[in-house]
Amino acid sequence: MKGMELVVNGRLLSVRLVESHCLHIGDEVIDIAEISIQLRGTVVGLLGQGSSEYEIDCAESSDALQLALTFKVLRAEASGKWKERPLDHLCRPRPAE
């Protein structure tokens, strides 16, 4: 699986899902069931166990919203068992004009 090239922590990195529960971000691998998702405008924040934090920059806030929801769906499918993780923080988007 190729994945996507995204701007993560200011660098263009490959982001892909492997074996339905391992998220590869560049050379790092995290269990998607253990991440917390934060939506801040055009940035999707992923908080892993410990001190791992990833900020994915999107061009538009609607792209960030779609990406955050995609991560939530993938995480739900990967969670066979409950895993401890920080709470998600998804702010309401600005009203459409």
Side-chain angles (χ1 to χ4, degrees), residues 45-57:
L46 302 178
L47 301 174
Q49 295 290 54
S51 62
S52 60
E53 182 175 349
Y54 306 93
E55 288 191 343
I56 301 172
D57 294 313

Side-chain angles (χ1 to χ4, degrees), residues 1-45:
M1 175 182 254
K2 285 190 168 197
M4 303 171 61
E5 296 287 322
L6 298 171
V7 178
V8 182
N9 295 342
R11 298 183 356 225
L12 188 62
L13 296 175
S14 173
V15 177
R16 60 193 173 104
L17 187 67
V18 178
E19 299 175 11
S20 76
H21 69 279
C22 291
L23 188 62
H24 289 235
I25 300 176
D27 294 332
E28 298 181 43
V29 180
I30 57 174
D31 186 343
I32 197 164
E34 297 178 356
I35 63 169
S36 166
I37 302 163
Q38 297 185 343
L39 179 60
R40 299 182 300 272
T42 60
V43 175
V44 177

Side-chain angles (χ1 to χ4, degrees), residues 57-96:
D57 294 313
C58 298
E60 302 283 333
S61 59
S62 60
D63 296 337
L65 177 61
Q66 289 177 19
L67 185 60
L69 292 175
T70 300
F71 282 133
K72 283 184 74 71
V73 169
L74 291 171
R75 184 183 65 190
E77 289 178 357
S79 294
K81 296 182 240 171
W82 175 257
K83 303 248 182 172
E84 290 294 321
R85 62 178 175 259
L87 296 175
D88 289 344
H89 186 275
L90 303 173
C91 297
R92 295 179 81 177
R94 294 185 325 188

